Amino acid sequence: MQALVLLLCIGALLGHSSCQNPASPPEEGSPDPESTGALVEEEDPFFKVPVNKLAAAVSNFGYDLYRAQSGMSPTTNVLLSPLSVATALSALSLELRIKSSFVAPLEKSYGTRPRVLTGSPRLDLQEINNWVQAQMKGKLARSTKEIPNEISILLLGVAHFKGQWVTKFDSRKTSLEDFHLDEERTVRVPMMSDPKAVLRYGLDSDLSCKIAQLPLTGSMSIIFFLPLKVTQNLTLIEESLTSEFIHDIDRELKTVQAVLTVPKLKLSYEGEVTKSLQEMKLQSLFDSPDFSKITGKPIKLTQVEHRAGFEWNEDGAGATPSPGLQPAHLTFPLDYHLNQPFIFVLRDTDTGALLFIGKILDPRGT
Ligand SMILES: *[C@@H]1O[C@H](CO)[C@@H](O)[C@H](O)[C@H]1NC(C)=O
């Protein structure tokens, strides 16, 4: 039987080279930080802005997907661009259900191309790899996993991200340092460091973790969750991840100066998210829609795959922190070393939309 494969390319977030103003404007409608302590828990005005509300909903899908995926991979890195998965799914469930001549609209709006596979696992893999290489300009590694032959429709979301810090790291300070994989095992990896980094910081005693936020160019920022103890079990933190929680954290972090070390990363991830989606009670995606109108055969979505690439190195826009960031005066030096398993959340600063999320257990990749 011939298989129909939808290849979908979404969210190719390549690094921005232009320097944008790192000082983001104050959020419209957000309460005065001085007065938040006295407010009772009401719906945050931030989420009353329609675009933020939409971003929060899509992001919550992403946090759920991440949680499910991470639960299935307790000992390996997880890297997701949930937006690319969400867009792929909505392309299927909306466009395809409505339009029978679906190829042109899909290709136009999402850069998608339905492909008919040959049935030869080797040729099909080559075809998909070539397509991904072309779409991602060679940024993603070629896959070696063959296409299982019981597939009817395979939906593939791919994304690549290369981050650029607002404040770049001095590459002369990068050196091989220990990264603790768990309580016993340690590996040496290239670590970037900044002895006088300006970052936003907070200690969460409920989650037993240290949270830090660093700005990236292109109105994005990254939040790190670093447990106080070395552990690969990050479930406590994972369970609390929602758009609302991250938004609250974002407001509570304080600008400080710290000794910062960050591993250089160049990771790729390849995983099936089918089971996670089913676990999230999205089974109906696989039961319907029925695509027989398209193919004349009763076929259904059987598999959803995700490939993601993610990297950061010393590159950044400027050599000094933006003058708008005034670190609070600390009586003790603060250390923030990402030298053990951690979670990162990459968001769009203005809307809070989740762009990438990852669990880094081993910065060398897995
Ligand atoms: C991981 O941590 C959670 C919460 O701290 C705990 O409930 C769970 O049993 C732990 N899982 C494993 C496999 O140790």
Side-chain angles (χ1 to χ4, degrees), residues 14-278:
L14 305 169
H16 295 240
S17 52
S18 66
C19 176
Q20 305 201 2
N21 182 4
S24 54
E27 279 155 3
E28 216 175 285
S30 61
D32 176 359
E34 305 297 329
S35 66
T36 48
L39 283 179
V40 273
E41 282 273 48
E42 267 187 21
E43 198 199 353
D44 192 311
F46 178 82
F47 294 112
K48 288 189 177 145
V49 179
V51 62
N52 298 346
K53 197 169 176 169
L54 179 65
V58 176
S59 304
N60 276 333
F61 161 82
Y63 293 118
D64 287 346
L65 180 66
Y66 165 77
R67 237 185 313 278
Q69 200 67 13
S70 178
M72 284 174 215
S73 334
T75 57
T76 52
N77 294 341
V78 171
L79 204 54
L80 286 182
S81 161
L83 217 49
S84 76
V85 179
T87 317
L89 290 171
S90 56
L92 252 197
S93 55
L94 296 175
E95 296 248 353
L96 294 196
R97 195 158 12 191
I98 299 162
K99 297 193 177 84
S100 49
S101 62
F102 66 106
V103 178
L106 263 189
E107 185 149 20
K108 214 162 102 198
S109 8
Y110 300 107
T112 309
R113 200 136 69 94
R115 310 300 290 265
V116 177
L117 290 188
T118 62
S120 149
R122 195 179 54 83
L123 288 179
D124 290 343
L125 179 66
Q126 201 173 27
E127 161 105 15
I128 293 179
N129 270 333
N130 288 345
W131 183 85
V132 172
Q133 292 295 308
Q135 290 292 324
M136 294 282 126
K137 302 186 170 56
K139 297 276 184 198
L140 279 185
R142 300 182 85 86
S143 171
T144 53
K145 277 205 315 198
E146 291 192 345
I147 314 298
N149 52 18
E150 69 275 16
I151 291 290
S152 280
I153 294 184
L154 180 148
L155 194 62
L156 175 66
V158 295
H160 184 269
F161 177 81
K162 183 171 187 300
Q164 275 232 325
W165 311 103
V166 165
T167 308
K168 66 177 156 215
F169 286 85
D170 180 352
S171 54
R172 289 167 303 185
K173 296 202 171 76
T174 300
S175 60
L176 282 179
E177 303 283 343
D178 285 347
F179 186 96
H180 306 278
L181 299 175
D182 53 31
E183 280 166 336
E184 280 119 42
R185 295 173 303 147
T186 299
V187 292
R188 304 275 282 174
V189 298
M191 287 272 198
M192 312 182 286
S193 74
D194 184 347
K196 286 189 172 167
V198 175
L199 45 82
R200 298 183 65 231
Y201 173 83
L203 175 72
D204 191 317
S205 48
D206 294 337
L207 300 182
S208 299
C209 73
K210 296 193 283 186
I211 303 171
Q213 184 190 51
L214 282 180
L216 293 165
T217 59
S219 280
M220 291 178 279
S221 70
I222 192 153
I223 300 181
F224 298 106
F225 294 85
L226 183 69
L228 296 177
K229 283 196 317 212
V230 176
T231 176
Q232 294 208 337
N233 182 352
L234 306 172
T235 32
L236 195 62
I237 300 167
E238 287 169 345
E239 274 164 12
S240 62
L241 296 177
T242 61
S243 303
E244 296 75 16
F245 175 72
I246 301 278
H247 177 73
D248 287 347
I249 282 184
D250 186 23
R251 281 205 318 215
E252 283 165 25
L253 299 179
K254 300 278 182 289
T255 303
V256 298
Q257 196 178 66
V259 183
L260 173 70
T261 56
V262 179
K264 275 172 87 154
L265 283 188
K266 188 169 181 175
L267 297 175
S268 61
Y269 178 77
E270 195 181 326
E272 204 187 318
V273 293
T274 320
K275 283 202 189 70
S276 296
L277 292 168
Q278 289 168 343

